[in-house]
């Protein structure tokens, strides 16, 4: 989980799903706390997780550390209520880290096209658990293939999108 700890981002829904998983899962929660009351709810939920779920928390990560954090993860989970762009989703895919997210982002087609997996209903803890267990059960070869597909999905999206405004400005200023 790489995002602000905020109700919109779906950490609590992720924890509800983790509570129903059956496989060993290690969750790293990386991001600042936007809502201290919500974080207290999440901390309580973490203490009630089964023993096969291990959770680590890091509020801050340096910008240059993010690609390595993503590379060291089998997937990035963001059960968001909605994103305008979803920068962390783009960063994850670019790093070759598959994404588990909701269909409420502009990345839904990219994720469905090989970038990871969509959880249709983040409030359905059983569905979240099924998706997480499926990912936790992947073999090393399956995870490597998923990484390759995530990166390829990002490359395909980037090729279709063309340069962004910053790239155009830099090209004009620094020919």
């Amino acid at each position: 989980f790489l995002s602000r700890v905020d109700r919109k981002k779906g950490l609590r829904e992720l924890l509800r799903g983790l509570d129903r998983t059956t496989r060993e899962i290690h969750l790293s929660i990386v991001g600042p706390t936007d809502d201290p009351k919500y974080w207290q709810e999440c901390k309580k939920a973490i203490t009630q997780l089964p023993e096969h779920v291990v959770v680590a928390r890091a509020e801050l990560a340096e910008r240059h550390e993010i690609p390595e954090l993503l590379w060291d993860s089998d997937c990035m989970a963001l059960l968001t209520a909605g994103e305008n762009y979803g920068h962390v989703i783009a960063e994850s895919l670019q790093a070759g880290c598959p994404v588990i997210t909701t269909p409420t982002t502009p990345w839904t087609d990219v994720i469905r096209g090989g970038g990871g997996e969509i959880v249709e209903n983040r409030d359905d803890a059983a569905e979240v658990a099924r998706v997480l267990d499926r990912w936790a059960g992947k073999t090393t070869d399956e995870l490597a293939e998923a990484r390759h597909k995530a990166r390829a999905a990002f490359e395909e999206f980037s090729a279709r999108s063309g340069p962004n405004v910053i790239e155009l400005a830099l090209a004009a200023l620094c020919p």
Side-chain angles (χ1 to χ4, degrees):
F1 180 89
L2 178 61
S3 186
R4 296 177 291 118
V5 175
D6 181 272
R7 287 184 196 283
K8 177 183 176 185
K9 302 299 183 176
L11 177 59
R12 185 68 179 96
E13 289 79 3
L14 180 62
L15 294 169
R16 284 187 187 114
L18 283 167
D19 189 45
R20 298 180 71 170
T21 59
T22 60
R23 295 184 178 270
E24 182 177 335
I25 296 176
H26 295 258
L27 171 67
S28 297
I29 302 169
V30 181
T33 301
D34 267 12
D35 182 342
K37 183 179 175 188
Y38 178 68
W39 173 238
Q40 291 305 313
E41 293 173 28
C42 291
K43 280 179 32 179
K44 182 178 178 185
I46 290 167
T47 66
Q48 298 170 349
L49 290 172
E51 289 183 14
H52 62 269
V53 178
V54 177
V55 178
R57 171 80 167 120
E59 276 204 40
L60 299 175
E62 296 293 325
R63 187 100 183 106
H64 68 277
E65 296 173 316
I66 300 299
E68 185 176 342
L69 284 170
L70 292 166
W71 183 252
D72 288 342
S73 300
D74 293 331
C75 65
M76 193 277 292
L78 182 70
L79 301 182
T80 181
E83 297 293 318
N84 291 325
Y85 181 74
H87 291 86
V88 71
I89 295 171
E91 287 178 295
S92 295
L93 294 171
Q94 187 175 29
C97 182
V99 177
I100 295 172
T101 192
T102 56
T104 57
T105 80
W107 295 95
T108 302
D109 290 341
V110 175
I111 302 299
R112 285 195 172 122
E117 190 163 348
I118 297 292
V119 171
E120 295 297 332
N121 181 1
R122 76 182 196 152
D123 294 320
D124 182 347
E127 179 188 358
V128 173
R130 280 191 302 274
V131 170
L132 295 173
D133 273 337
R134 188 167 36 253
W135 278 86
K138 288 186 181 286
T139 66
T140 303
D141 288 343
E142 289 170 329
L143 289 170
E145 178 65 18
R147 287 185 169 288
H148 174 73
K149 286 181 176 179
R151 177 64 188 188
F154 178 80
E155 292 296 332
E156 183 180 325
F157 170 81
S158 296
R160 284 192 323 258
S161 301
N164 65 38
V165 172
I166 294 170
E167 292 167 330
L168 292 172
L170 287 173
L173 295 172
C174 309

